[in-house]
Amino acid sequence: MKRFLSLLAAMACCHCTVLGQQNLFNIPSGDITPKGKVFYQHQLNLYSDKLESKAHFVVGLGKGWDAGVNLVGKTLGLRNNLVFLANDNPGRGALSPFLLPTLQKQFRVSPRLDVNMGTQAGMNLTGKFENKEFGWYNYALGVYYLQQRKSRLVAGVYHTNPLLMGPGNRVGMLLGYEIKLTPRWYLMGDWMSGSNDAGVAVIGGMYNMSRRSQLCFGMLVPNPGNPGPVGLVLELNLLGWDLDLK
């Protein structure tokens, strides 16, 4: 009996770490980094006039918890001379860049259903102390697994503020999917509702380059009411544990 229970526990741990996505493209994926392991994700959004960078570093804490830090809104202007763009004036929209400590907890509801709750909250990076502001992004997700946890559907809600996401709605919906095609190829996409700066859909895919690295790519389309442009997304994931590529 002890051996049987140990085998079940080992299988559960393996299933929790089959996929490596901490975010799909713009919404959380529902993954939790294993205890003592690290995860790094770097995303580039390419538009006709600028290049946006997002960095996401996570450490697994165990018992369904992980924590990390995000650096978002680092932007390089591509017109004329290359120059880094920043905004510390709320009157001009979302502030950038932002440094956001993160915390996430996962609850196992059933073998196929997890519920995650998380927060990302921090200050914008500016040299003027009087222009520093506090921004946050809170979310709750349900993650339903398919194909023995090889694929997933994600749905949830979020709450944010205009300093981080720009003018528009503060509460909205999150939808996403990750569908296995082969051991290395996945269809992947997500959608964040609303007219704020983050209200976009991304449709694309993911390729497992190795047991510890993934490359994601897609097309970004803003929601109606979001004045942002269409763009391309490129995302690199580096994992501190081995993926199951079977």
Side-chain angles (χ1 to χ4, degrees):
M1 177 61 71
K2 288 184 178 180
R3 290 185 178 180
F4 178 71
L5 293 176
S6 298
L7 178 60
L8 287 180
M11 290 173 65
C13 290
C14 177
H15 286 165
C16 286
T17 59
V18 166
L19 302 177
Q21 284 289 113
Q22 283 293 330
N23 290 318
L24 293 173
F25 288 108
N26 291 314
I27 75 168
S29 69
D31 277 327
I32 293 290
T33 300
K35 182 180 180 180
K37 304 299 183 180
V38 298
F39 175 89
Y40 179 74
Q41 182 175 76
H42 202 103
Q43 179 176 321
L44 298 175
N45 294 348
L46 177 63
Y47 305 97
S48 61
D49 61 343
K50 63 183 179 180
L51 179 68
E52 290 182 350
S53 172
K54 302 179 181 180
H56 184 45
F57 178 79
V58 184
V59 177
L61 304 179
K63 296 184 178 180
W65 290 91
D66 64 19
V69 63
N70 286 358
L71 177 60
V72 301
K74 191 78 172 181
T75 305
L76 177 67
L78 301 179
R79 291 182 178 175
N80 300 323
N81 296 327
L82 298 179
V83 60
F84 282 106
L85 306 176
N87 177 34
D88 61 4
N89 181 357
R92 296 201 302 262
L95 304 183
S96 64
F98 252 97
L99 188 65
L100 303 165
T102 71
L103 185 65
Q104 181 178 212
K105 167 65 175 174
Q106 183 180 81
F107 302 90
R108 176 64 49 82
V109 178
S110 75
R112 284 200 171 191
L113 179 63
D114 291 335
V115 172
N116 285 39
M117 301 184 70
T119 185
Q120 303 174 13
M123 308 288 289
N124 63 313
L125 301 180
T126 175
K128 299 178 181 179
F129 182 79
E130 64 274 16
N131 288 350
K132 287 187 176 295
E133 299 285 355
F134 185 73
W136 72 85
Y137 171 68
N138 304 317
Y139 60 89
L141 295 172
V143 186
Y144 185 75
Y145 297 93
L146 308 168
Q147 302 176 5
Q148 287 141 0
R149 299 180 72 87
K150 301 286 186 176
S151 302
R152 72 183 69 191
L153 303 175
V154 179
V157 294
Y158 72 90
H159 174 231
T160 187
N161 74 341
L163 296 173
L164 179 62
M165 299 295 190
N169 60 295
R170 300 188 181 190
V171 177
M173 295 188 302
L174 304 171
L175 297 175
Y177 62 88
E178 193 172 89
I179 306 297
K180 180 182 178 181
L181 299 178
T182 73
R184 291 188 180 269
W185 286 98
Y186 286 73
L187 294 177
M188 192 171 80
D190 61 22
W191 174 64
M192 187 167 172
S193 74
S195 58
N196 57 46
D197 291 354
V200 301
V202 182
I203 300 174
M206 178 179 71
Y207 177 66
N208 289 323
M209 297 186 294
S210 72
R211 290 187 179 272
R212 295 200 172 191
S213 62
Q214 300 171 313
L215 183 64
C216 310
F217 46 87
M219 173 170 286
L220 181 152
V221 180
N223 293 337
N226 178 352
V230 173
L232 299 176
V233 180
L234 185 66
E235 191 174 85
L236 176 65
N237 299 325
L238 300 176
L239 294 77
W241 68 95
D242 288 338
L243 291 167
D244 179 2
L245 297 182
K246 296 180 182 179

